[in-house]
Every structure is written in structure tokens, then in C-alpha cells.
Amino acid sequence: MNIDMIRAAARRLEGHVRRTPLLNSPFLDDIAGRRVWVKPECLQHTGSFKFRGGWSAVSALDPEVRAKGVIAFSSGNHAQGVAYAAKLHGVPAVIIMPADAPRLKIANTRALGAEVVLYDRMSEDRDAIGARLSEDRVLTLIKPFDNPQVIAGQGTTGLEIAQQAAEAGIENADVIVCCGGGGLTSGIALALEVDAPTLRVRSAEPEAFDDVARSLHTGQIQRNANSGGSICDAIVTPQPGNLTFPIMQRLCGPGLAVSDDEALQAVAHAFNRLKLVAEPGGAVALAAALFRTDQINGSDVIVTISGGNVDSDMFARALATLD
């Protein structure tokens, strides 16, 4: 993995991906005690940053291989990103999703033309299901984070952050990234290492699923005790990726963790102050900036809102936290 792969992905993404803005609100600044800059990938195609990696991976395949179709496993956002990328390329897609994924994500993935295969995340192994279907149907497996072209696609977010931070006059800041397996976190870190080395990437996770933070602390990959049970479903993974962890270990600062209630409050603040719709997992970085202020240094902090695919009842629950 290197900056050249990210720049190559950016060239393939040109004309297909949205260049999301860098937003600021004085109301959020007041809560955090510093300037908070928000990179809203919830405004990206399919409602999350995952379209970047999906397009990057699908577009990088040899045309003959791509024509046979692709397969992916995801709780929803990677599913939609790959499904939409496959649809735009005119190739079939099979997506393996947990049966308890948000209804909106399952419906949207099907609406994008993908075949959805549901599984029980408590009793079944999605990797084994993916490997079997990939072999049986001769499909190319696109992993959600441990795939070089996926990481390169997510890294294009970092290229944009570097340019936008320079335009805003931000010289030193933590860049807090919503983190599951580490594809977005490691991709952004690789981009900033070259284009904005004074910006430090840090992961943000739910408290009960902070495998990346624990792995960074111990220097060895740590697994989560449970495979589900958080409202932050978009970023709940068993452990950091074998490709992503070494990058994060080399380039990232200490990880941050927030409660589910704090994630819900961040969803509400994003809507009230920036008119953005975020899902809980996509708001943990903002929650860290707002509620872990003693663990952040400097007068600026940059955060990603990584996704906005939230069911209406969950969104209403989030808004009620500030009533």
C-alpha cells in the first residue's frame, strides 16, 4: 500500500465520486472547546464512504474477470457501495449481509440490483459463506477493508481532507475517523502521511467494540468478545484487518471510544447544527470530538461522518436524546 495506489484510485474515481465538503459549525465548536471540522461522507453516493472503495476495487479488475461478477460481505454500507459500483459497470453482484442489518440497508442493496444472501452473525461465519459462494459461482470477492484497492479508494478521502485543511488554514490537528476494520482509517492515514504530515489520524469506535484502540495500545491485533449487539452496526467487526492494522500501527495515534448514547447524541447534533443525517456508527468520530475533549489536543479537530444510512426509528431515537 502506498500513495501511488491512492492517486491511481483517485484518477479512476474522477467523475464518479462526490468530493464531499469540509463543514464547520460554531455550535459544535462551543461543545468541543475547539474548532470542529466535519467531512460528511454521508453525502457520498449510497450514503457512505464505501462507494469510494467499491468503485476503486471493481474498476481495478481485469474486464474479463469483472464481467463474471463480484461478491462482498457487509452489514450494509460496503454492500451498497459494491452493489452500486457493480451496477454502474454492468456486472452481477452477490452481497452477504447479516439478517439483523438495518432494513433500509438490506432494501437499498437489493434495489441496486444485487442478490442479497442473509446470514446469522451469531452462529454463521460470513467469511466461510463468502469463500464458498465465490468458488461455486466464480465471483471475485471484494473484502470490506482488507483489500488493497478498497483501502486505496478510501484513501481518496484523505487526499481531499489534506487539500481542504490547507485551504482552511488548518496546520495541526487530529483527524478522527470512524473505524471498523480500518480501511478508511488506514487509507486516510496513508494519504495524509504524504500530503499533510502534520495531521494525525486517530480511530473512533463504540466502547464495547474498540478492537482497534486495544490493538494499537497492545501492539497486537485484538478481537472483540462479541460479534454484534451495538447500534453502531456499520463499524462492528471482529478485529482489525491484517493489511490495515500495520498501517494504523505505524501512522495513527491512540484510539478513542464512545458510548452508544454519545453516538446517538452526535447524530442529533449533526442534524441540528449541520443538517446532516448520520447513522450511529458514522457519528462516533464526531462523538469523540464532542465528548472526549480531554483526550484531544490543539485548537482544531477534523472528523469523518462516515455514513448516513439510518432507519427512521433509530434516527427518531437519536433526535430524542437532545429533547
Side-chain angles (χ1 to χ4, degrees), residues 2-31:
N2 56 59
I3 191 66
D4 293 333
M5 289 182 66
I6 297 174
R7 297 202 197 285
R11 290 191 292 271
R12 296 197 306 278
L13 283 163
E14 189 172 354
H16 302 286
V17 73
R18 291 173 180 158
R19 185 180 190 272
T20 54
L22 197 64
L23 305 177
N24 174 256
S25 163
F27 298 101
L28 298 181
D29 295 350
D30 287 344
I31 297 172

Side-chain angles (χ1 to χ4, degrees), residues 70-96:
V70 297
I71 185 170
F73 43 79
S74 166
S75 64
N77 287 336
H78 179 63
Q80 293 174 77
V82 171
Y84 190 41
K87 179 179 180 179
L88 293 176
H89 281 89
V91 302
V94 175
I95 308 296
I96 303 163

Side-chain angles (χ1 to χ4, degrees), residues 112-129:
L112 289 169
E115 175 189 348
V116 174
V117 177
L118 299 177
Y119 76 100
D120 183 340
R121 73 166 95 208
M122 297 298 182
S123 63
E124 295 181 285
D125 184 346
R126 68 179 188 179
D127 296 85
I129 295 170

Side-chain angles (χ1 to χ4, degrees), residues 238-252:
Q239 63 183 52
N242 293 323
L243 294 181
T244 61
F245 178 64
I247 299 170
M248 293 188 289
Q249 187 177 29
R250 181 171 67 86
L251 296 176
C252 295

Side-chain angles (χ1 to χ4, degrees), residues 19-241:
R19 185 180 190 272
T20 54
L22 197 64
L23 305 177
N24 174 256
S25 163
F27 298 101
L28 298 181
D29 295 350
D30 287 344
I31 297 172
R34 56 175 54 86
R35 292 193 299 178
V36 178
W37 302 88
V38 176
K39 180 70 168 169
E41 283 293 294
C42 50
L43 302 179
Q44 191 54 258
H45 295 301
T46 71
S48 90
F49 74 95
K50 290 288 191 177
F51 177 74
R52 294 178 186 266
W55 180 275
S56 174
V58 173
S59 65
L61 292 174
D62 179 273
E64 291 185 5
V65 174
R66 184 169 60 230
K68 296 177 182 178
V70 297
I71 185 170
F73 43 79
S74 166
S75 64
N77 287 336
H78 179 63
Q80 293 174 77
V82 171
Y84 190 41
K87 179 179 180 179
L88 293 176
H89 281 89
V91 302
V94 175
I95 308 296
I96 303 163
M97 302 183 69
D100 62 348
R103 297 184 303 275
L104 177 67
K105 294 181 180 181
I106 295 174
N108 283 352
T109 304
R110 286 177 171 147
L112 289 169
E115 175 189 348
V116 174
V117 177
L118 299 177
Y119 76 100
D120 183 340
R121 73 166 95 208
M122 297 298 182
S123 63
E124 295 181 285
D125 184 346
R126 68 179 188 179
D127 296 85
I129 295 170
R132 186 184 72 249
L133 289 175
S134 178
E135 182 177 354
D136 290 348
R137 304 193 191 185
V138 196
L139 303 170
T140 298
L141 176 62
I142 299 178
K143 294 184 178 181
F145 47 85
D146 242 8
N147 176 301
Q149 293 298 347
V150 168
I151 296 171
Q154 320 306 25
T156 62
T157 313
L159 299 180
E160 294 177 14
I161 289 174
Q163 183 177 4
Q164 292 164 328
E167 292 168 353
I170 305 169
E171 297 181 356
N172 294 279
D174 280 347
V175 178
I176 306 176
V177 182
C178 306
C179 189
L184 181 62
T185 306
S186 60
I188 290 177
L190 284 169
L192 296 184
E193 178 188 24
V194 176
D195 282 12
T198 60
L199 302 182
R200 179 179 67 161
V201 172
R202 301 181 67 184
S203 61
E205 300 169 284
E207 285 179 339
F209 300 89
D210 60 342
D211 50 294
V212 171
R214 289 183 285 111
S215 298
L216 291 173
H217 179 69
T218 63
Q220 295 182 328
I221 289 180
Q222 304 291 315
R223 288 184 63 86
N224 286 318
N226 298 309
S227 58
S230 172
I231 62 171
C232 301
D233 63 283
I235 57 172
V236 171
T237 55
Q239 63 183 52

Side-chain angles (χ1 to χ4, degrees), residues 220-300:
Q220 295 182 328
I221 289 180
Q222 304 291 315
R223 288 184 63 86
N224 286 318
N226 298 309
S227 58
S230 172
I231 62 171
C232 301
D233 63 283
I235 57 172
V236 171
T237 55
Q239 63 183 52
N242 293 323
L243 294 181
T244 61
F245 178 64
I247 299 170
M248 293 188 289
Q249 187 177 29
R250 181 171 67 86
L251 296 176
C252 295
L256 299 160
V258 300
S259 69
D260 281 358
D261 185 63
E262 288 167 334
L264 287 173
Q265 291 181 57
V267 170
H269 283 303
F271 179 73
N272 287 340
R273 301 310 183 189
L274 293 171
K275 307 311 172 191
L276 296 172
V277 175
E279 60 192 281
V284 294
L286 177 59
L290 298 179
F291 307 122
R292 297 292 179 272
T293 58
D294 61 330
Q295 299 179 41
I296 302 168
N297 297 318
S299 58
D300 292 278

